[in-house]
Amino acid sequence: MELKYDNWKEVPRTFKAWPWKYFKPEEMACRGTGKLTMHSGLLDNLDVLRSRFNSSLTILSAYRSPYHNSCVGGAPRSRHLVGDACDISIRNKDKFLLEKLALDLGFTGLGYYNTFLHIDRRPKKARWGRKKWNV
């Protein structure tokens, strides 16, 4: 199911509208416009990931509007544009455990950056930037 709101503030404050325990609408919304478009399956998996990781996770970027995506140098066909990706900070976190749990949960796209891990649910497996983790 896809969630679509012109602004994250429009999300009803009910469990039925937003059943995810660990993440708020404002964390998932576009940082440039406030628009929120997300796949509920991504949010389901993120909640399980957070539960298994047993520590807070900071979402740096989730949904991005096309304009905001271009402003931040995002890929033209980024999974962020369809609300099926997020970037999670790895500062002071066990990045290898986070990676393992994401793979165990079926995330198929993983991008390794110096300060964050990109995860998404694209149709085919993709990996990039692993050398930035010095492995």
Side-chain angles (χ1 to χ4, degrees), residues 84-132:
D84 200 26
C86 68
D87 299 334
I88 302 172
S89 175
I90 57 171
R91 291 189 186 276
N92 302 313
K93 300 291 180 185
D94 183 343
K95 61 188 174 188
F96 299 106
L97 176 59
L98 185 60
E99 173 193 34
K100 179 193 178 312
L101 293 172
L103 290 169
D104 289 350
L105 284 168
F107 285 96
T108 51
L110 277 80
Y112 304 86
Y113 297 86
N114 290 331
T115 59
F116 66 93
L117 175 66
H118 167 99
I119 58 175
D120 67 47
R121 300 176 335 126
R122 65 186 64 213
K124 292 185 178 183
K125 178 179 162 181
R127 306 283 184 276
W128 62 95
R130 185 108 164 98
K131 64 185 176 200
K132 293 186 179 190

Side-chain angles (χ1 to χ4, degrees), residues 15-82:
F15 180 77
K16 184 176 181 180
W18 194 268
W20 300 281
K21 179 178 179 180
Y22 296 108
F23 302 99
K24 298 177 182 172
E26 55 265 37
E27 293 177 272
M28 299 293 123
C30 177
R31 301 288 196 248
T33 65
K35 185 174 179 176
L36 178 63
T37 298
M38 294 298 299
H39 285 273
S40 60
L42 177 83
L43 293 164
D44 293 341
N45 285 8
L46 276 176
D47 246 22
V48 174
L49 176 66
R50 164 54 183 85
S51 176
R52 292 182 183 174
F53 192 65
N54 201 27
S55 178
S56 64
L57 296 174
T58 301
I59 304 299
L60 301 174
S61 180
Y63 172 72
R64 292 184 197 146
S65 69
Y67 176 76
H68 186 67
N69 189 61
S70 66
C71 288
V72 299
R77 293 182 9 193
S78 171
R79 301 298 295 179
H80 289 279
L81 294 167
V82 294

